[in-house]
């Protein structure tokens, strides 16, 4: 297996300078002890089996914050590619997608083939293998709705198997794979609908952009185009010329509150307007983190220390605007936002990305 630290093994890697900072969308993170690139599931397993010491599995680097001291062990870059049909019938198709397949390439391919189910997840950076880890979702869709199974290497017992979706523990931005390293994702199976039309449009902002009512369906390509426009307007589509896209997307998850906590929030924010909220099961209420941040006094573009800032387009994105800021600078801004929101509104924000060798 080639050592990708001194000389990365793919064209994409060669185009990115620096150590671990070059493998993340934030462009932050110190050096690794060693970096290797694995281009197949077998290579990924072999890298894990033959490496002593700590291992970090890293693919698109779009949902990870790496500390300034880097990672002292081996970083395995997931560079496996490809998808294939594993089953199909008149109304649906199940595709198996390698963990390193770029996510938006997959979404574009499904739309091109007339397969519905992922169209509202267009433009999200990162790899396919990362999507079940945090149950990626946007504009009314989540990958948990179409995933039928996740192929993993189990580091505990040394086996390779498929975990059915029902055993993945999918929840809002979470799964059994998040915050632990037992399972290494090798591929993901998605069951998609054969249809030229999207699923029912569930998200009001997207419905407005499409000029339809919530619940209506639109051509797949139209849904993708509208989502890409919306995301680009928020700095959520990677663009080397746009410093707002040097981020991990939404830095904080939308808090999910019990009814009593939500009512307390309404009381504390009575002079600020009604908190945008979405009711869930068992009386739980999901509240807009962007609204909380804004009402706590942090507007779009709010500067942090030494080149970090809230995105000028989206309150939830924290950006490496200068391109040279440190992880500690970013976390200083994040902790200031979190602590101020809690002090003023009584709600605790939690980070969405995985933190490596750093603490918020």
């Amino acid at each position: 297996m080639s050592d990708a630290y001194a000389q990365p093994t793919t064209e994409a890697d060669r185009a990115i300078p620096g150590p671990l900072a070059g493998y993340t969308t934030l462009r932050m993170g110190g050096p690794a002890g060693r970096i290797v690139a694995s281009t197949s599931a077998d290579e990924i397993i072999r890298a894990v089996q033959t490496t002593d010491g700590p291992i970090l599995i890293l693919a698109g680097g779009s949902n990870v914050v790496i500390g300034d001291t880097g990672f002292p062990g081996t970083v395995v870059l997931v560079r496996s590619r490809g998808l294939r049909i594993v089953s199909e019938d008149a109304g649906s198709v199940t595709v198996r997608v390698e963990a390193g397949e770029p996510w938006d390439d997959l979404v574009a391919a499904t739309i091109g083939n007339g397969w519905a189910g992922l169209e509202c997840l267009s433009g999200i950076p990162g790899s396919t293998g990362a999507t079940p880890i945090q149950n990626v979702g946007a504009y009314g869709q989540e990958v948990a709705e179409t995933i039928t199974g996740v192929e993993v290497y189990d580091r505990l017992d040394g086996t390779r198997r498929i975990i059915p979706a029902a055993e993945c523990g999918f929840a809002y931005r979470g799964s059994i794979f998040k915050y632990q390293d037992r399972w290494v994702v090798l591929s993901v199976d998605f069951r998609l609908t054969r249809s030229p039309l999207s699923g029912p449009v569930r998200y009001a902002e997207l419905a407005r952009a499409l000029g339809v009512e919530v619940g209506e369906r639109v051509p797949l390509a139209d849904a993708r185009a509208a989502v890409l426009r919306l995301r680009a307007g928020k700095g959520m589509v990677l663009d080397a010329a746009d410093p707002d896209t040097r981020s991990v997307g939404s830095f904080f998850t939308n808090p999910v509150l019990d009814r009593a906590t939500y009512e307390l929030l309404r009381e504390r924010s009575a002079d600020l307007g009604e908190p945008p909220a979405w009711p869930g099961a068992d009386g739980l209420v999901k509240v807009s983190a962007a609204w909380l941040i804004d009402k706590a006094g942090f507007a779009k573009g709010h500067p942090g220390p030494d080149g970090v800032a809230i995105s000028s387009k989206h309150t939830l994105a924290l950006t490496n605007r200068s391109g040279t800021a440190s992880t500690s600078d970013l976390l200083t801004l994040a902790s200031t936002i979190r602590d101020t929101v809690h002090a003023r509104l009584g709600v605790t924000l939690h980070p969405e990305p995985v933190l490596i060798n750093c603490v918020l």
Side-chain angles (χ1 to χ4, degrees):
M1 188 178 302
S2 60
D3 188 335
Y5 183 70
Q7 185 173 347
T9 58
T10 70
E11 290 298 326
D13 293 334
R14 292 191 187 100
I16 302 174
L20 291 179
Y23 297 101
T24 70
T25 55
L26 264 173
R27 298 295 182 259
M28 291 177 171
R34 178 170 173 258
I35 300 179
V36 297
S38 298
T39 60
S40 69
D42 288 340
E43 286 189 5
I44 295 168
I45 293 172
R46 188 158 57 247
V48 173
Q49 290 176 332
T50 60
T51 299
D52 294 326
I55 296 178
L56 172 63
I57 308 298
L58 187 64
S62 62
N63 195 50
V64 63
V65 180
I66 300 175
D68 294 317
T69 58
F71 185 77
T74 296
V75 175
V76 177
L77 298 177
V78 176
R79 297 294 184 258
S80 52
R81 298 290 297 269
L83 64 90
R84 62 188 177 90
I85 296 174
V86 293
S87 67
E88 57 184 320
D89 56 35
S92 68
V93 57
T94 299
V95 293
R96 179 161 299 163
V97 188
E98 297 301 313
E101 182 71 17
W103 174 254
D104 197 50
D105 288 0
L106 169 63
V107 176
T110 64
I111 291 171
N113 282 291
W115 303 335
L118 304 179
E119 59 278 358
C120 293
L121 304 177
S122 294
I124 295 175
S127 69
T128 297
T131 61
I133 295 174
Q134 67 158 3
N135 185 18
V136 164
Y139 295 105
Q141 285 184 339
E142 289 182 336
V143 293
E145 298 168 354
T146 53
I147 290 176
T148 61
V150 179
E151 184 186 22
V152 300
Y153 173 69
D154 190 334
R155 297 175 66 185
L156 185 63
D157 60 19
T159 61
R160 177 176 178 173
R161 62 191 177 93
I162 293 178
I163 299 179
E167 298 175 17
C168 290
F170 289 128
Y172 173 62
R173 300 300 175 266
S175 70
I176 62 171
F177 311 112
K178 195 170 184 179
Y179 302 126
Q180 63 154 306
D181 60 3
R182 173 179 175 178
W183 295 284
V184 179
V185 176
L186 303 174
S187 68
V188 187
D189 289 356
F190 298 90
R191 186 175 186 269
L192 306 171
T193 303
R194 295 184 185 274
S195 173
L197 299 180
S198 70
V201 176
R202 303 171 183 164
Y203 205 79
E205 182 186 20
L206 179 57
R208 289 193 298 269
L210 288 163
V212 301
E213 297 295 323
V214 172
E216 290 187 43
R217 300 172 185 265
V218 299
L220 291 173
D222 290 355
R224 174 172 170 79
V227 168
L228 288 174
R229 287 194 301 272
L230 288 171
R231 290 186 63 86
K234 299 174 182 178
M236 297 291 187
V237 176
L238 292 181
D239 180 352
D242 184 355
D244 277 333
T245 69
R246 288 195 290 265
S247 76
V248 290
S250 297
F251 193 90
F252 295 104
T253 59
N254 290 321
V256 178
L257 310 178
D258 59 38
R259 177 57 63 173
T261 305
Y262 174 64
E263 293 302 331
L264 286 174
L265 168 63
R266 294 183 68 200
E267 291 178 14
R268 298 184 69 161
S269 63
D271 60 336
L272 301 174
E274 187 73 10
W278 300 269
D282 302 320
L284 298 177
V285 181
K286 183 167 66 175
V287 178
S288 168
W291 186 90
L292 294 169
I293 292 168
D294 181 71
K295 297 307 179 184
F298 300 94
K300 296 174 184 176
H302 181 92
D306 298 327
V308 301
I310 293 177
S311 167
S312 66
K313 303 179 182 71
H314 195 298
T315 314
L316 268 182
L318 307 187
T319 68
N320 177 7
R321 191 160 188 82
S322 67
T324 58
S326 68
T327 301
S328 61
D329 294 331
L330 182 86
L331 295 179
T332 295
L333 175 59
S335 61
T336 299
I337 293 170
R338 178 199 59 193
D339 295 347
T340 304
V341 168
H342 186 269
R344 295 184 179 178
L345 298 170
V347 177
T348 300
L349 297 177
H350 297 282
E352 183 167 322
V354 177
L355 307 182
I356 305 297
N357 277 4
C358 56
V359 178
L360 177 62

